[in-house]
């Protein structure tokens, strides 16, 4: 295959970038190792800047129609209110945090890409080698039986690749190899990015002392489209609405509880908040520790890191998806110019600097959120909560916090 841009990773960031490029006539292939999309709800938060970034893909309207628009947040201890903030006061066309399971977000993006370029997304493709020649990028790997070997877009590739051979190439055999010749490659292959490892990119990594247990349960709270934080001595409990009468619960734990089941999480929530959850109705459960990673550079010749491959931040605060989409929205016009023969080296240096700075800001915000949610002795917790309650009564402070929580 000969294409303009090869994207490694068919998650939300890779799909969004592919859509933006295809709409500009760039020939794109998306190489995704998973044969099927994950049904796990995973990331659920889409912040206002993320929706703005996605406007160019044509899916923002469908996302906002299907998701829950969280227009306000509340901080409580048990059933006593400590503070309330309104995201609707923030200066944005989307004055809310949108809650939608990642599985549905990916489905919408994939359907949009297939409507524009039916064969651009290739599942069952694992990239195992990458060579940057200085004028192009060569990728090689293995593909599962029946994986499609076509690329799609609107124009012939620029640079040394020559014209595309066209037509479909059905990969046969249990482990058929493939090769891709691209003008540029973008690694959007996740926090444990194999491509980043192939590049030998130096990464600053840190494992934090915070652990969480989260799950999705039927919503019996009566809180509607309000996000709620319970600040309790044993650790924070977060509660966010999802479509279909479901609610996401996240509880801070003193150690990683990988062996816990839905009953354990339901018991934690009841003990700390008084809310009763139906363990039998649990539809997703996950335990995780917090890890951060930031490469020292995101641009490596003609190969570029984006999304979680470029910056792993804490899931607390739900900033990861939006960060990745902002990467894609800023990168797409540069790559479009590059495949048309323009020099983009200086612009890529600036993009690299801005995106790493944005990741550091998001990581600092996440660390602040986690610090507020760690266990405290009851007496200190009462003092801290009283001070927070008094502080949030000041409208400018509440508005500032609302902007920070919505990445503005």
């Amino acid at each position: 295959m000969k294409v303009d841009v090869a994207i490694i990773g068919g998650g939300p960031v890779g799909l969004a970038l592919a859509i933006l490029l295809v709409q500009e006539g760039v020939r794109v292939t998306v190489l995704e190792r998973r044969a099927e999309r994950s049904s796990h709800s995973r990331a659920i938060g889409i912040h206002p800047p993320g929706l703005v970034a996605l406007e160019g893909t044509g899916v923002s309207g469908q996302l906002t129609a299907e998701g829950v628009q969280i227009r306000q947040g509340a901080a409580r201890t048990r059933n006593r209110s400590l503070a309330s903030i309104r995201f609707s006061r923030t200066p944005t066309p989307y004055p809310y945090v949108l809650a939608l399971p990642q599985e549905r977000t990916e489905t919408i993006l994939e359907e949009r890409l297939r409507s524009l370029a039916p064969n651009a997304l290739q599942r069952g493709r694992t990239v195992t080698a990458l060579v940057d020649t200085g004028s192009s990028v060569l990728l090689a790997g293995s593909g599962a039986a029946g994986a499609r070997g076509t690329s799609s877009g609107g124009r012939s590739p620029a640079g040394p690749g020559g014209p595309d051979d066209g037509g479909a190439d059905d990969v046969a055999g249990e482990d058929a190899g493939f090769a891709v010749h691209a003008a540029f490659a973008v690694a959007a292959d996740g926090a444990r990015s194999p491509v980043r490892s192939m590049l030998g990119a130096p990464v600053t990594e840190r494992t934090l002392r915070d652990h969480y247990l989260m799950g999705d349960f039927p919503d019996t709270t009566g809180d509607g489209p309000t996000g709620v934080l319970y600040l309790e001595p044993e650790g924070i409990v977060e509660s966010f609405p999802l479509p279909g009468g479901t609610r996401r619960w996240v509880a801070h734990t003193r150690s990683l509880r990988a062996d816990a089941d839905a009953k354990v999480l339901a018991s934690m929530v009841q003990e700390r908040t008084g809310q009763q959850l139906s363990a039998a109705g649990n539809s997703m459960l996950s335990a995780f520790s917090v890890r951060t990673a930031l490469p020292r550079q995101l641009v490596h010749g003609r190969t570029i890191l984006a999304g979680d491959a470029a910056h792993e931040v804490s899931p607390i605060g739900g900033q990861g998806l939006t960060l990745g989409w902002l990467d894609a929205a800023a990168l797409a016009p540069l790559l479009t110019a590059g495949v048309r023969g323009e020099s983009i080296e200086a612009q890529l240096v600036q993009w690299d600097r801005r995106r790493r700075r944005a990741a550091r800001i998001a990581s600092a915000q996440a660390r602040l959120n986690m610090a507020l949610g760690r266990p405290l002795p009851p007496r200190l917790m009462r003092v801290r909560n009283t001070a927070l309650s008094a502080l949030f009564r000041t409208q400018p402070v509440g508005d500032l916090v609302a902007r920070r929580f919505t990445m503005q």
Side-chain angles (χ1 to χ4, degrees), residues 46-227:
I46 304 176
H47 292 275
L51 290 168
V52 172
L54 287 176
E55 285 181 342
T57 67
V59 304
S60 290
Q62 187 174 356
L63 292 174
T64 56
E66 294 193 20
V68 176
Q69 299 177 11
I70 303 176
R71 295 177 177 267
Q72 63 180 12
R76 299 174 186 165
T77 177
R78 277 286 181 164
N79 289 321
R80 183 168 66 87
S81 176
L82 295 173
S84 178
I85 58 174
R86 293 187 176 275
F87 304 135
S88 57
R89 294 177 57 86
T90 58
T92 171
Y94 304 97
Y96 47 79
V97 175
L98 190 71
L100 188 66
Q102 183 174 329
E103 185 277 333
R104 185 58 192 152
T105 300
E106 285 189 14
T107 297
I108 292 170
L109 286 166
E110 183 174 334
E111 289 173 349
R112 173 61 175 165
L113 179 58
R114 290 195 184 281
S115 73
L116 297 169
N119 297 311
L121 175 62
Q122 301 179 64
R123 291 194 174 276
R125 299 286 198 169
T126 301
V127 174
T128 57
L130 180 150
V131 176
D132 188 331
T133 69
S135 58
S136 62
V137 181
L138 306 178
L139 301 169
S142 60
R148 301 291 293 182
T150 62
S151 60
S152 191
R155 56 183 294 278
S156 297
D164 184 69
D165 58 8
D169 175 17
D170 288 322
V171 177
E174 293 184 357
D175 191 18
F178 70 88
V180 177
H181 187 181
F184 295 93
V186 178
D189 53 343
R192 304 297 192 274
S193 170
V195 171
R196 189 176 68 200
S197 298
M198 292 176 203
L199 294 170
V203 181
T204 301
E205 298 176 308
R206 185 181 177 190
T207 299
L208 304 181
R209 60 187 178 92
D210 298 275
H211 315 277
Y212 297 87
L213 184 60
M214 74 176 182
D216 297 344
F217 296 82
D219 189 355
T220 58
T221 63
D223 287 322
T226 299

Side-chain angles (χ1 to χ4, degrees), residues 38-391:
S38 172
S39 60
H40 195 295
S41 57
R42 292 177 291 166
I44 62 171
I46 304 176
H47 292 275
L51 290 168
V52 172
L54 287 176
E55 285 181 342
T57 67
V59 304
S60 290
Q62 187 174 356
L63 292 174
T64 56
E66 294 193 20
V68 176
Q69 299 177 11
I70 303 176
R71 295 177 177 267
Q72 63 180 12
R76 299 174 186 165
T77 177
R78 277 286 181 164
N79 289 321
R80 183 168 66 87
S81 176
L82 295 173
S84 178
I85 58 174
R86 293 187 176 275
F87 304 135
S88 57
R89 294 177 57 86
T90 58
T92 171
Y94 304 97
Y96 47 79
V97 175
L98 190 71
L100 188 66
Q102 183 174 329
E103 185 277 333
R104 185 58 192 152
T105 300
E106 285 189 14
T107 297
I108 292 170
L109 286 166
E110 183 174 334
E111 289 173 349
R112 173 61 175 165
L113 179 58
R114 290 195 184 281
S115 73
L116 297 169
N119 297 311
L121 175 62
Q122 301 179 64
R123 291 194 174 276
R125 299 286 198 169
T126 301
V127 174
T128 57
L130 180 150
V131 176
D132 188 331
T133 69
S135 58
S136 62
V137 181
L138 306 178
L139 301 169
S142 60
R148 301 291 293 182
T150 62
S151 60
S152 191
R155 56 183 294 278
S156 297
D164 184 69
D165 58 8
D169 175 17
D170 288 322
V171 177
E174 293 184 357
D175 191 18
F178 70 88
V180 177
H181 187 181
F184 295 93
V186 178
D189 53 343
R192 304 297 192 274
S193 170
V195 171
R196 189 176 68 200
S197 298
M198 292 176 203
L199 294 170
V203 181
T204 301
E205 298 176 308
R206 185 181 177 190
T207 299
L208 304 181
R209 60 187 178 92
D210 298 275
H211 315 277
Y212 297 87
L213 184 60
M214 74 176 182
D216 297 344
F217 296 82
D219 189 355
T220 58
T221 63
D223 287 322
T226 299
V228 183
L229 306 181
Y230 293 89
L231 304 178
E232 307 297 339
E234 284 301 310
I236 196 170
V237 174
E238 305 181 3
S239 169
F240 305 104
L242 287 170
T246 301
R247 203 163 186 93
R248 165 71 55 86
W249 292 87
V250 185
H252 190 285
T253 58
R254 294 180 181 269
S255 61
L256 181 63
R257 298 295 304 272
D259 59 339
D261 58 17
K263 291 181 180 179
V264 171
L265 179 53
S267 177
M268 284 183 187
V269 170
Q270 184 173 6
E271 289 172 2
R272 298 184 195 179
T273 73
Q275 294 284 350
Q276 293 187 350
L277 309 184
S278 170
N282 173 256
S283 55
M284 183 283 297
L285 190 74
S286 177
F288 62 93
S289 300
V290 175
R291 177 179 176 272
T292 65
L294 183 63
R296 296 180 190 174
Q297 65 185 75
L298 307 184
V299 178
H300 298 261
R302 286 177 170 262
T303 303
I304 302 149
L305 304 177
D308 285 352
H311 36 64
E312 182 181 2
V313 300
S314 168
I316 302 304
Q319 302 174 95
L321 280 179
T322 293
L323 271 179
W325 286 327
L326 291 171
D327 291 348
L331 182 60
L334 302 184
L335 293 178
T336 300
V339 300
R340 291 174 178 167
E342 299 179 27
S343 175
I344 60 170
E345 286 82 2
Q347 292 94 320
L348 284 175
V349 169
Q350 292 298 318
W351 177 89
D352 188 316
R353 184 177 297 119
R354 289 194 299 267
R355 299 317 304 150
R356 284 189 293 113
R357 179 176 182 273
R360 287 193 292 268
I361 292 172
S363 189
Q365 177 67 51
R367 287 197 299 272
L368 176 60
N369 294 343
M370 290 187 297
L372 290 173
R374 289 172 184 149
L376 278 178
R379 182 174 175 276
L380 290 179
M381 179 66 70
R382 286 194 296 270
V383 172
R384 199 276 307 272
N385 287 353
T386 298
L388 284 177
S389 181
L391 188 63

